[in-house]
Amino acid sequence: MTKPNLEKMKQVYSETKIPGELDFVVNRALRSNRKSIRKRLYSRMVAGTCAAVLVIAIGINMSTTVANAVALVPGLEGLVKVISLKTYQVDGPNQDIDMEVPQITNLDNKELESGLNEKYLEENKQLYLDFQKEMDGLKNKKETHAGITTGYEIVTDNEQIFSILRYTENVTASTATTLQYDTIDKQNQVLITLPSLFKDEQYMEIISANIKEQMKEQMKTDPEKYYWIKGEDLNNPEEGFEMIQPEQSFYINRNGKLVIVFNDYEVAPGYMGTVEFEIPTDRIEKELASLTYIK
């Protein structure tokens, strides 16, 4: 990389403005983080092997100017996939907050890109407001310590598929983790939904039956694992997992396999955490609309 390109990036970044839509944006954190931001950018450029360049920045609705600056660097035009927007961080005596919003960039389908980014922004705004309401309700409990953490991971990024996970960990009286996924067809620039993968709704019964089989096998081989399966508990025969939902949380992994995900307490006790099941392709291939995504 030439020195002029680096200087141009530094200038563009320094001139980036942080909007004032949210009172809780910590402006002073920008000054202390610029050095580490530039270091991260430079190390990513030198490595050149990462499929997604992450630009860590302060500000919940930051401009994509920094991403555009990176895209100007020869050889990096198509590498930027996500900008990481650091929204708010508090480490106090009674509460810990660490919220991070992903922003998709470089999609040709700008309507899809904008829709996803607005959704991610609104999710975190609402999570913050809900958490503050919880804290207000706990003000009289001196020993209460609560926290919320949000963030994301890129779980799949290949020629066809881009899957991004957003996670939320909320700690009040107990800890609850929520996982949400979005999977994008990079070639056709569309969001892949679970129903869109299949010919009809029969997939729900087939996948659910396989998940129950996996649950029973896991409990048989590992006594520490326990799932709630409808009809299996004699004390509560009507309770437990019966069937996935049409819009069940899922992603397509690096091997092209469909993975169904359940959040805390959905199908198992809290100590099990979030659980996921990789569905064998030979069990669902006759129901698939095509073999473009699932291998």
Side-chain angles (χ1 to χ4, degrees):
M1 181 187 309
T2 63
K3 185 175 181 180
N5 280 333
L6 267 178
E7 293 302 322
K8 180 177 179 62
M9 289 178 62
K10 292 178 182 177
Q11 180 183 354
V12 171
Y13 181 77
S14 298
E15 292 174 354
T16 302
K17 294 182 179 180
I18 303 299
E21 287 87 352
L22 296 177
D23 293 336
F24 60 74
V25 174
V26 186
N27 290 309
R28 62 188 176 88
L30 179 60
R31 294 191 295 273
S32 63
N33 278 273
R34 277 179 178 165
K35 184 175 181 180
S36 63
I37 292 166
R38 290 195 293 268
K39 184 177 180 181
R40 286 181 186 227
L41 275 172
Y42 183 73
S43 63
R44 294 281 186 174
M45 294 168 194
V46 172
T49 58
C50 184
V53 176
L54 307 183
V55 182
I56 309 301
I58 303 297
I60 196 165
N61 196 24
M62 181 179 171
S63 166
T64 58
T65 306
V66 178
N68 293 333
V70 177
L72 292 175
V73 180
L76 292 183
E77 295 87 347
L79 292 182
V80 179
K81 293 293 189 293
V82 178
I83 298 175
S84 177
L85 302 182
K86 204 73 172 183
T87 60
Y88 190 44
Q89 220 169 8
V90 168
D91 185 8
N94 295 317
Q95 62 175 318
D96 294 315
I97 304 174
D98 188 358
M99 304 183 72
E100 190 173 22
V101 181
Q103 185 178 55
I104 305 293
T105 187
N106 273 18
L107 282 180
D108 294 332
N109 186 340
K110 295 304 177 184
E111 183 177 356
L112 173 60
E113 180 180 289
S114 176
L116 290 172
N117 290 336
E118 288 179 10
K119 178 176 72 169
Y120 301 156
L121 184 62
E122 289 303 318
E123 282 176 353
N124 277 267
K125 284 182 180 179
Q126 192 59 51
L127 286 167
Y128 177 82
L129 294 174
D130 291 344
F131 179 74
Q132 289 303 320
K133 287 181 181 179
E134 287 186 82
M135 290 303 298
D136 289 342
L138 298 172
K139 280 183 178 179
N140 296 327
K141 299 181 180 180
K142 296 181 180 180
E143 301 301 321
T144 298
H145 190 95
I148 185 170
T149 300
T150 70
Y152 70 92
E153 294 178 13
I154 298 170
V155 295
T156 304
D157 188 6
N158 55 38
E159 292 183 359
Q160 182 83 49
I161 297 293
F162 182 85
S163 288
I164 182 171
L165 156 69
R166 288 114 55 221
Y167 60 84
T168 302
E169 186 176 81
N170 197 323
V171 180
T172 49
S174 60
T175 301
T177 301
T178 302
L179 307 180
Q180 299 180 83
Y181 296 83
D182 281 318
T183 298
I184 299 169
D185 176 343
K186 291 162 63 175
Q187 294 184 6
N188 295 301
Q189 298 281 306
V190 295
L191 186 68
I192 301 171
T193 65
L194 191 58
S196 72
L197 293 172
F198 298 94
K199 298 174 184 177
D200 52 44
E201 294 183 353
Q202 191 173 354
Y203 74 90
M204 292 190 292
E205 294 182 10
I206 295 172
I207 291 176
S208 299
N210 180 257
I211 289 174
K212 291 176 186 177
E213 290 175 13
Q214 292 192 48
M215 287 177 169
K216 293 176 183 178
E217 182 61 28
Q218 289 183 28
M219 288 190 289
K220 181 179 178 181
T221 58
D222 187 349
E224 294 186 358
K225 290 189 175 182
Y226 187 79
Y227 294 101
W228 300 319
I229 305 174
K230 188 171 183 178
E232 297 293 318
D233 188 340
L234 296 179
N235 295 321
N236 298 288
E238 296 303 314
E239 300 295 327
F241 171 69
E242 182 177 21
M243 187 175 297
I244 62 170
Q245 300 300 312
E247 297 292 343
Q248 185 72 42
S249 188
F250 80 99
Y251 66 93
I252 299 171
N253 67 21
R254 291 177 174 86
N255 297 319
K257 302 301 182 182
L258 176 65
V259 181
I260 301 295
V261 182
F262 296 94
N263 290 319
D264 286 359
Y265 304 102
E266 279 194 292
V267 296
Y271 77 87
M272 291 277 290
T274 60
V275 294
E276 58 182 50
F277 300 89
E278 182 179 296
I279 309 302
T281 302
D282 60 2
R283 297 291 295 270
I284 57 174
E285 60 184 347
K286 291 182 180 179
E287 305 304 319
L288 291 169
S290 77
L291 293 175
T292 302
Y293 309 123
I294 308 298
K295 309 300 181 184

